[in-house]
Amino acid sequence: NGRFWGASKERYISWCEVNATIWVYSTTSSGLAYPGSIGNNENPHIGKLVSTFENLHIGGISALTTTDDGKQIWTGGEDSLINVWRIQKKKSGRYVLDQMETLSGHESTVSCIALSSLQGIAVSGSNDGTIIIWDLGKKSYLRSLNHRSPLTAVSINQNNGNIMTLSASLVKLWSVNGNRIAEKNLETFSQPTCGVATACEDYQHGILILIGHLNGQVTLWDLLYPGDVDNQTKERHLCLRKTLETGKRVAISCLRLDGQQRHLAIGDVSGSVTHFTSAEQVYIRP
């Protein structure tokens, strides 16, 4: 039940959904594993285990992310809480974890968390169908949004603060102020398993949202406005622009765009990673 998060070039974090434990692994400054520390099917970890932290929640850890600089870890738990931790490296090479804040507001397991230092917000989703927007600096509540079913993913557009939320087959796009911009029911597609917002501005008419699916596909979505030539409705709505094929019929587990939006990494449940690279920015309309 382990998961992984690349916290920085010098370390990554693995955590367990069962016993609320995280492990910090150190890598070289280039991001490569230490010599002789190569992951395999029995032991998927690479690098050197340097620190272990246990019992960070009552129950298991259900979501984890870090700030862009890797100095804070946000964990969501089965206890419905979000714990914010400061992680620091000692001269010995080991890490220490200090709890900065505990955030409450959800009534069930916290299923996903996204942070944006540029926008100064954090967004969390829960199995109770609620989404909460938090002030990243003050660690305080701002507002709530709602879905009708457990949240699969939340993601923040780093340029304008728009928020993508995914719950069952329903994907929604919200403004940073909590106003609904558009939504799309994907029930005619393979089951959505994860999603991410790009850094595209609305006026650029490019790809705003990427959705991973159970069948190994990734769909790319644009936002159409009432005045657009190819918009047959009078409302803003999400429009499918492209479908990426990974060549494997296994569920997509994670999507990650680089800072320049030109490289897309697609992870699946088999442990494989597929890379897509574009000469143009990924979010530019195909």
Side-chain angles (χ1 to χ4, degrees):
N1 292 320
R3 296 189 179 183
F4 307 91
W5 181 265
S8 70
K9 289 184 177 180
E10 66 175 20
R11 67 177 182 268
Y12 73 93
I13 295 168
S14 173
W15 80 94
C16 184
E17 297 175 325
V18 177
N19 58 8
T21 298
I22 67 174
W23 298 269
V24 181
Y25 288 82
S26 178
T27 60
T28 64
S29 59
S30 63
L32 301 176
Y34 281 105
S37 300
I38 304 300
N40 52 50
N41 289 334
E42 282 85 31
N43 179 19
H45 302 92
I46 58 175
K48 179 182 179 182
L49 176 62
V50 291
S51 297
T52 300
F53 304 101
E54 299 177 323
N55 303 316
L56 301 186
H57 284 266
I58 298 174
I61 293 175
S62 49
L64 182 149
T65 191
T66 69
T67 51
D68 294 337
D69 59 12
K71 294 181 179 179
Q72 291 181 25
I73 301 173
W74 288 52
T75 57
E78 294 176 347
D79 54 9
S80 77
L81 300 175
I82 297 170
N83 289 331
V84 183
W85 312 88
R86 180 185 295 108
I87 185 168
Q88 294 177 300
K89 186 177 182 180
K90 296 299 184 180
K91 292 182 179 180
S92 63
R94 300 187 67 83
Y95 289 87
V96 295
L97 208 59
D98 298 313
Q99 187 166 3
M100 301 174 65
E101 194 67 65
T102 294
L103 306 178
S104 60
H106 294 296
E107 296 182 355
S108 185
T109 297
V110 179
S111 55
C112 44
I113 305 173
L115 310 178
S116 173
S117 298
L118 287 175
Q119 296 297 324
I121 59 172
V123 180
S124 58
S126 170
N127 285 352
D128 63 11
T130 62
I131 305 109
I132 297 180
I133 304 175
W134 310 89
D135 185 300
L136 184 64
K138 296 179 180 178
K139 314 291 186 299
S140 59
Y141 172 90
L142 292 176
R143 61 188 59 88
S144 295
L145 312 172
N146 286 284
H147 271 266
R148 295 180 179 177
S149 54
L151 272 295
T152 303
V154 294
S155 184
I156 304 168
N157 183 315
Q158 298 296 321
N159 280 338
N160 58 24
N162 286 350
I163 298 163
M164 186 266 341
T165 59
L166 177 63
S167 173
S169 62
L170 186 63
V171 58
K172 293 185 180 183
L173 185 66
W174 313 78
S175 73
V176 68
N177 294 319
N179 298 314
R180 185 178 63 84
I181 297 172
E183 65 180 60
K184 179 73 175 180
N185 195 318
L186 307 180
E187 59 185 5
T188 60
F189 294 80
S190 174
Q191 177 184 334
T193 53
C194 59
V196 66
T198 73
C200 180
E201 295 282 9
D202 294 350
Y203 63 81
Q204 291 177 305
H205 287 291
I207 303 302
L208 294 180
I209 295 172
L210 289 78
I211 302 293
H213 295 268
L214 187 65
N215 65 354
Q217 293 181 333
V218 177
T219 52
L220 281 61
W221 298 86
D222 186 7
L223 180 66
L224 294 186
Y225 285 80
D228 291 341
V229 175
D230 46 356
N231 189 351
Q232 303 301 314
T233 73
K234 295 182 179 181
E235 297 181 351
R236 294 177 294 187
H237 71 275
L238 294 169
C239 175
L240 178 66
R241 286 302 181 185
K242 191 176 182 66
T243 299
L244 302 180
E245 300 284 351
T246 61
K248 299 183 68 177
R249 306 289 291 184
V250 296
I252 303 301
S253 57
C254 56
L255 301 167
R256 188 70 180 264
L257 283 164
D258 74 335
Q260 298 300 314
Q261 308 281 287
R262 288 188 171 90
H263 300 277
L264 170 65
I266 303 171
D268 63 46
V269 295
S270 74
S272 298
V273 178
T274 304
H275 294 271
F276 282 83
T277 303
S278 174
E280 298 294 332
Q281 290 172 310
V282 172
Y283 58 64
I284 297 303
R285 180 180 291 180

